[in-house]
Amino acid sequence: MTQPTPTASFPLSRSCPYQPPTGYNDFKGKGPLQKVQLFDGRSAWLVSSHAVAHKLLGDSRLSNDRTRPDFPALSAAERTPRPFRMLPEMDSPEHDVQRRMLLPSFTLKRAREARPRIEEITNELIDAMQAKGGPLDLVSEFAIHLPSKIVCELLGIPFEDHEFFQDRGYRLEKVESVESVQQMIGELFGYLDRLITAMENADEPQPGLLGDLVAGPVANGEMSHQELVVLALVMLNSGHVTTSSMIALGIFTLLEHPDQLALLRAKPELMPSAVDELLRYLSIADTVTRRIAVADIEIAGQTIAAGDGVLMPNALLNRDPEAFEEPDTFDITRSSENRHLALGFGVHQCIGQHLAKAEIEVALTALLTRFPTLRLAVPADEVPLRDTGGLEGVSALPVTW
């Protein structure tokens, strides 16, 4: 079968923080699989169908191993050589072994048990905001600190170091250059290496998930010291960057949709549904879902050949009219049909999804309850977008009340 010619370049940039790139409209109505060109001239398959993506995400013939030479990178910095692989980049069975070690700490039950502590931290941060008075930046005063404190307590990392890893985490998301990626990863790796070494040398068991893993899998030889350092890096970075972005951008989106905000205030029981709709509508981790074929795959009238890259943009798939009625409408009552892919699907579905949803629900509920007149302190078009390599958000959100 003749391979189609790439018709567009990828990735595309957003001009509005809660809308997909306008160029995504060009992919609609042209078939579920299309070829696009990446920064280095290589081509890859772009999936525009939610149904096709759903099938592919459960297909073991697609690999998430980003160390493979033909894995679809979106920048030169992404090809930075590293002496290790992270959990999201592993395939089965290696991926499954590490994931099973973490699952007991990230169940729905554990997220529910954590909710009182999330509420306590949330109210402490809001108390400080009220004492300071508006206008202020919701990102730096609230959205960053809540998930950072939660992930620190979960892992057993000193919160007094949060400014260090927050700064490196956000700079790493920008993917500015090969050198900056190497520097950020090196600094985070060094910090966690020293922390875990101290846990291993401590006379008493150490608190948190990292302490549990040191005392369990590391001590009995199921996991190496370096593997735990890499795993800690993944959990630390993913545990605060995406959630803080969702909190800030969630508030921004609600303020920009006053009818939905009014409905949520009148019916707070809709909050879980509202959070799922925000995840679908915003799709902040737009370009994260990428794979490479390790065998030929016949699907949707096309052949994805072994070695082909596959891109599944969340912001495009979560606006597929075949999967969502009026997909460009923000509707917090969209519950039963909201099968969004914002948190992934299959073996690589976000392991921290229950905790992340709990944090977002608690944060939005408290902000809207304790600030009944919350509003933007600047015009919406003056809210600065955060410039990153695929994680959408705002770098600051000036608000007042």
Side-chain angles (χ1 to χ4, degrees):
M1 181 180 292
T2 303
Q3 296 287 303
T5 302
T7 57
S9 297
F10 193 88
L12 305 177
S13 299
R14 297 194 193 198
S15 57
C16 173
Y18 55 79
Q19 294 290 354
T22 56
Y24 279 7
N25 291 326
D26 297 334
F27 296 119
K28 296 178 180 179
K30 296 180 180 178
L33 286 166
Q34 301 161 54
K35 275 291 184 77
V36 294
Q37 188 172 63
L38 304 179
F39 79 100
D40 55 4
R42 302 186 190 197
S43 64
W45 291 101
L46 181 138
V47 183
S48 60
S49 163
H50 182 282
V52 171
H54 198 269
K55 290 180 181 178
L56 288 172
L57 287 171
D59 196 317
S60 61
R61 291 171 293 178
L62 286 181
S63 168
N64 203 30
D65 184 355
R66 301 194 179 201
T67 64
R68 292 177 182 269
D70 291 327
F71 193 90
L74 302 184
S75 70
E78 283 193 4
R79 296 203 181 278
T80 304
R82 286 190 270 107
F84 53 79
R85 286 187 302 159
M86 299 183 183
L87 178 62
E89 303 166 354
M90 298 176 182
D91 294 326
S92 300
E94 184 182 11
H95 166 271
D96 303 338
V97 172
Q98 288 199 11
R99 188 177 175 96
R100 279 195 295 269
M101 293 178 185
L102 302 180
L103 277 175
S105 298
F106 292 98
T107 62
L108 179 58
K109 180 176 181 290
R110 291 292 292 271
R112 287 171 175 163
E113 291 172 349
R115 203 172 183 100
R117 180 57 180 152
I118 298 171
E119 291 171 346
E120 183 179 9
I121 296 172
T122 296
N123 284 310
E124 289 172 356
L125 290 169
I126 292 179
D127 288 344
M129 289 171 59
Q130 289 180 326
K132 183 174 290 189
L136 49 71
D137 173 25
L138 188 69
V139 174
S140 61
E141 298 289 342
F142 180 87
I144 287 178
H145 298 307
L146 173 61
S148 289
K149 194 152 191 175
I150 294 298
V151 77
C152 280
E153 293 186 1
L154 172 68
L155 298 180
I157 293 176
F159 183 66
E160 54 263 31
D161 297 332
H162 70 278
E163 290 186 1
F164 166 81
F165 63 75
Q166 284 172 359
D167 173 71
R168 272 60 175 183
Y170 278 103
R171 288 167 63 188
L172 185 60
E173 288 293 336
K174 291 183 179 180
V175 197
E176 294 171 340
S177 66
V178 172
E179 293 74 21
S180 68
V181 169
Q182 289 175 329
Q183 179 185 351
M184 295 307 104
I185 290 179
E187 292 180 2
L188 286 167
F189 192 95
Y191 168 79
L192 292 166
D193 177 56
R194 293 187 294 273
L195 179 71
I196 292 170
T197 298
M199 289 182 172
E200 292 169 336
N201 294 331
D203 295 329
E204 300 291 334
Q206 297 298 292
L209 178 55
L210 296 184
D212 292 343
L213 293 172
V214 164
V218 174
N220 62 30
E222 293 180 81
M223 177 182 286
S224 70
H225 169 89
Q226 177 165 300
E227 286 174 332
L228 180 54
V229 173
V230 175
L231 191 59
L233 192 156
V234 172
M235 291 189 290
L236 177 62
N237 206 44
S238 60
H240 75 270
V241 175
T242 51
T243 307
S244 65
S245 297
M246 276 300 307
I247 291 169
L249 202 46
I251 286 292
F252 183 33
T253 305
L254 286 166
L255 292 176
E256 287 297 282
H257 294 80
D259 59 327
Q260 296 298 294
L261 177 57
L263 177 59
L264 185 57
R265 288 189 184 279
K267 295 184 176 182
E269 66 273 14
L270 288 174
M271 183 58 77
S273 173
V275 169
D276 266 318
E277 178 66 349
L278 284 166
L279 287 164
R280 180 198 73 85
Y281 191 72
L282 297 173
S283 298
I284 61 170
D286 182 25
T287 57
V288 168
T289 310
R290 286 171 272 151
R291 302 287 189 269
I292 184 170
V294 296
D296 291 357
I297 301 173
E298 301 285 342
I299 190 169
Q302 300 286 358
T303 301
I304 300 175
D308 283 356
V310 180
L311 315 171
M312 292 177 259
N314 290 327
L316 178 59
L317 300 172
N318 286 334
R319 300 289 186 96
D320 180 0
E322 295 297 319
F324 304 96
E325 186 177 352
E326 298 184 12
D328 295 323
T329 298
F330 177 57
D331 178 9
I332 66 170
T333 67
R334 190 194 305 268
S335 54
S336 59
E337 65 154 312
N338 203 342
R339 298 171 291 107
H340 64 77
L341 298 173
L343 297 168
F345 177 75
V347 296
H348 286 286
Q349 189 168 23
C350 176
I351 195 171
Q353 60 178 311
H354 300 306
L355 181 61
K357 284 185 179 183
E359 291 178 37
I360 299 166
E361 287 179 19
V362 169
L364 297 186
T365 297
L367 287 167
L368 297 179
T369 300
R370 296 190 59 181
F371 297 111
T373 59
L374 187 70
R375 62 188 185 278
L376 294 178
V378 298
D381 59 5
E382 293 182 17
V383 172
L385 286 172
R386 188 175 67 248
D387 180 21
T388 74
L391 179 65
E392 307 297 337
V394 292
S395 56
L397 187 65
V399 296
T400 191
W401 52 88

Coordinates of all heavy atoms in Angstrom, one line a residue, residues 65 70 77 85 181 200 210 219 242 261 263 270 285 329-330 337 368-369 397:
D65 N 8.9 3.0 24.4 CA 10.3 3.1 24.7 C 10.9 4.3 23.9 O 11.2 4.1 22.7 CB 11.0 1.8 24.4 CG 12.4 1.8 24.8 OD1 12.9 2.9 25.2 OD2 13.1 0.7 24.6
D70 N 14.1 5.6 16.4 CA 13.1 6.2 15.5 C 11.8 6.7 16.3 O 10.8 7.0 15.7 CB 12.7 5.2 14.4 CG 13.8 5.0 13.4 OD1 14.5 5.9 13.2 OD2 13.9 3.9 12.9
A77 N 16.0 18.5 21.6 CA 16.3 18.3 23.0 C 15.8 17.0 23.5 O 16.3 16.4 24.4 CB 15.8 19.5 23.9
R85 N 16.2 4.8 31.7 CA 14.8 5.0 31.2 C 13.9 5.2 32.3 O 14.0 4.6 33.4 CB 14.4 3.8 30.4 CG 15.0 3.6 29.0 CD 14.5 2.5 28.2 NE 14.6 1.2 29.0 CZ 13.8 0.2 28.7 NH1 12.8 0.3 27.8 NH2 14.0 -0.9 29.4
V181 N 18.2 20.5 29.1 CA 17.6 19.2 29.5 C 18.5 18.4 30.3 O 18.2 17.9 31.4 CB 17.0 18.4 28.3 CG1 16.7 17.0 28.7 CG2 15.9 19.1 27.7
E200 N 18.8 5.2 52.7 CA 19.4 3.8 52.8 C 20.4 3.7 53.9 O 20.5 2.6 54.5 CB 20.1 3.5 51.4 CG 19.2 3.4 50.2 CD 19.9 3.3 48.9 OE1 21.1 3.9 48.8 OE2 19.4 2.8 48.0
L210 N 9.1 6.6 49.2 CA 10.5 6.3 49.0 C 11.1 5.5 50.1 O 11.9 4.6 49.8 CB 11.3 7.6 48.7 CG 10.9 8.5 47.5 CD1 11.8 9.7 47.4 CD2 10.8 7.7 46.3
A219 N 16.0 -3.0 49.4 CA 16.7 -3.9 50.3 C 16.7 -5.3 49.9 O 17.7 -6.0 50.2 CB 16.0 -3.7 51.7
T242 N 1.7 18.8 36.4 CA 0.5 18.8 35.7 C -0.7 19.2 36.5 O -1.6 19.8 36.0 CB 0.2 17.3 35.1 OG1 0.4 16.4 36.2 CG2 1.2 17.0 34.0
L261 N -19.8 28.2 35.5 CA -19.4 28.5 36.9 C -20.6 28.7 37.8 O -20.7 28.2 38.9 CB -18.6 29.8 36.9 CG -18.1 30.3 38.3 CD1 -17.3 29.3 39.0 CD2 -17.3 31.6 38.1
L263 N -23.6 27.4 37.4 CA -24.2 26.1 37.6 C -23.4 25.3 38.6 O -24.0 24.6 39.5 CB -24.2 25.3 36.3 CG -24.7 23.9 36.3 CD1 -26.2 23.9 36.8 CD2 -24.6 23.2 34.9
L270 N -21.7 18.6 41.3 CA -21.2 18.4 40.0 C -19.7 18.5 39.8 O -19.2 18.3 38.8 CB -21.9 19.4 39.0 CG -23.4 19.3 38.7 CD1 -23.8 20.4 37.8 CD2 -23.6 17.9 37.9
A285 N -1.8 18.0 28.7 CA -0.7 17.1 28.2 C -0.9 16.7 26.8 O -1.0 15.5 26.5 CB -0.5 16.0 29.1
T329 N -17.9 22.4 23.1 CA -18.7 23.1 24.2 C -18.2 22.6 25.5 O -18.1 21.4 25.7 CB -20.2 22.8 24.0 OG1 -20.6 23.3 22.8 CG2 -21.0 23.4 25.2
F330 N -17.9 23.5 26.4 CA -17.5 23.2 27.8 C -18.8 22.9 28.6 O -19.6 23.9 28.9 CB -16.7 24.3 28.4 CG -16.3 24.1 29.8 CD1 -15.6 23.0 30.2 CD2 -16.7 25.0 30.8 CE1 -15.2 22.8 31.5 CE2 -16.3 24.9 32.1 CZ -15.6 23.7 32.5
E337 N -20.9 10.1 29.1 CA -20.2 10.0 27.8 C -18.8 10.5 27.8 O -18.1 10.5 26.8 CB -21.0 10.8 26.8 CG -21.0 12.3 27.0 CD -21.2 13.1 25.7 OE1 -20.5 12.8 24.7 OE2 -22.0 14.0 25.7
L368 N -13.6 28.4 45.1 CA -14.9 28.9 44.7 C -15.8 29.2 45.9 O -16.6 30.1 45.9 CB -15.7 28.0 43.7 CG -14.9 27.8 42.4 CD1 -15.7 26.8 41.5 CD2 -14.7 29.1 41.6
T369 N -15.6 28.4 47.0 CA -16.4 28.6 48.2 C -15.9 29.8 49.0 O -16.7 30.6 49.5 CB -16.4 27.3 49.0 OG1 -16.9 26.2 48.3 CG2 -17.2 27.5 50.3
L397 N -1.6 33.7 36.9 CA -3.0 33.9 36.8 C -3.4 35.0 37.8 O -3.7 34.7 38.9 CB -3.8 32.6 37.0 CG -5.3 32.8 36.8 CD1 -5.6 33.1 35.3 CD2 -6.0 31.5 37.2

